[in-house]
Amino acid sequence: MSNNAIAVQSVTMRFRMNSDRILYLKDFVTTALRGKLRYQEFTALDEVSFQVTKGETLGLIGRNGAGKSTLLKVIAGILKPTAGSVRCHGNIVPMLELGSGFDMDLTGRENIFLNGAILGYGEEFLLEKYEEIVVFSELGEFIHTPIRNYSSGMLARLAFSVATVVQPEILIVDEILSVGDTAFQEKSQRRMQELMGGGTTVLFVSHNLKQVREMCSRVLWLDHGKVKLLGNTQEVCDAYEDNH
């Protein structure tokens, strides 16, 4: 039996972008009906392959636009790759766009139950864990306020608290630890390390190389949608820093 939690094989992701500067729907429809729409193809991921073993923390680094977020969305099942395959063994909790799965008109409390249900937690379980989530999020009375009034830091604290209330088998984290104050960042990092120590497999994207060095056992460096380097954390981070 394979010890891999995630196996990514030759994943390619291409997007078609309209190259005409069409501003109005009517113009788009008439141009499309005449068969005159012109597209450019953009390759976000190009033949990406790697494996992550169970319980491992793999860091993903690279410049903006390197394909990191696209890769995470493919692994999480949000995007279907143009070519290649992804196999994951275990339940995945993706923490990607801040506040995805939240309803801005609902309160923090209501969103705990909504977001928890999306992540597959039952109501009874969430009721049992409710106080723990609120205490960890440090939102206090703001938990009863509609989240449209939250700062990005408050939103991140709530999202992180709900997502990590149980021990997911695979946790995908995209820059979420870089939001909020330093004290909460440190607390989140400790919580992540607890999860990692308990056997959770983590895919971790961050521009903060200090965090990557502290938390990851290996690092994948993406550059223009291709794997530039994959290996030991210190070696890959050193090479990345030398290149920038």
Side-chain angles (χ1 to χ4, degrees):
M1 188 177 164
S2 170
N3 196 36
N4 287 332
I6 302 166
V8 176
Q9 187 64 45
S10 303
V11 163
T12 296
M13 188 79 208
R14 295 192 193 93
F15 296 102
R16 291 178 76 199
M17 297 186 296
N18 174 28
S19 56
D20 296 304
R21 293 177 65 82
I22 298 174
L23 300 177
Y24 300 102
L25 180 61
K26 185 179 80 172
D27 296 339
F28 180 87
V29 171
T30 52
T31 308
L33 288 173
R34 293 206 312 269
K36 294 289 175 71
L37 275 183
R38 289 177 301 173
Y39 291 99
Q40 275 183 323
E41 204 167 69
F42 170 68
T43 303
L45 297 170
D46 190 359
E47 291 278 324
V48 173
S49 297
F50 63 95
Q51 285 84 38
V52 188
T53 56
K54 289 173 183 169
E56 182 181 15
T57 300
L58 180 74
L60 243 65
I61 61 174
R63 291 175 182 270
N64 288 334
K68 303 184 300 297
S69 293
T70 303
L71 179 58
L72 294 188
K73 286 175 183 169
V74 169
I75 292 168
I78 296 165
L79 293 175
K80 188 177 188 302
T82 311
S85 65
V86 176
R87 287 196 307 278
C88 296
H89 304 281
N91 70 309
I92 301 175
V93 173
M95 295 170 63
L96 304 176
E97 270 95 9
L98 201 53
S100 57
F102 282 165
D103 185 324
M104 291 296 163
D105 292 323
L106 299 181
T107 65
R109 177 188 166 85
E110 290 164 333
N111 271 291
I112 287 174
F113 290 94
L114 172 66
N115 195 236
I118 289 169
L119 293 174
Y121 306 153
E123 186 182 7
E124 192 178 329
F125 174 82
L126 290 165
L127 281 167
E128 184 188 312
K129 294 285 186 177
Y130 175 76
E131 280 306 318
E132 187 184 324
I133 294 168
V134 176
V135 168
F136 192 92
S137 72
E138 300 173 6
L139 288 169
E141 285 304 306
F142 285 104
I143 203 69
H144 303 296
T145 305
I147 64 169
R148 64 171 176 269
N149 300 318
Y150 283 17
S151 67
S152 59
M154 292 164 77
L155 205 54
R157 297 204 311 255
L158 185 60
F160 187 87
S161 303
V162 176
T164 60
V165 69
V166 296
Q167 189 159 326
E169 288 168 287
I170 300 171
L171 181 65
I172 299 178
V173 184
D174 189 359
E175 289 291 354
I176 202 159
L177 298 190
S178 62
V179 183
D181 59 64
T182 309
F184 192 80
Q185 283 180 28
E186 288 171 359
K187 186 165 88 165
S188 300
Q189 194 166 325
R190 285 195 300 274
R191 177 75 182 120
M192 290 269 291
Q193 283 163 337
E194 282 171 24
L195 290 174
M196 285 145 49
T200 295
T201 304
V202 181
L203 267 182
F204 180 63
V205 169
S206 180
H207 284 102
N208 185 334
L209 284 188
K210 182 174 179 287
Q211 274 185 345
V212 173
R213 287 179 188 275
E214 286 172 0
M215 298 178 67
C216 302
S217 42
R218 284 192 307 149
V219 173
L220 172 68
W221 173 7
L222 270 186
D223 185 47
H224 293 95
K226 290 176 179 283
V227 176
K228 176 96 170 180
L229 201 58
L230 171 63
N232 172 275
T233 297
Q234 305 311 330
E235 287 172 14
V236 177
C237 287
D238 287 350
Y240 183 76
E241 283 186 319
D242 290 344
N243 197 258
H244 291 76

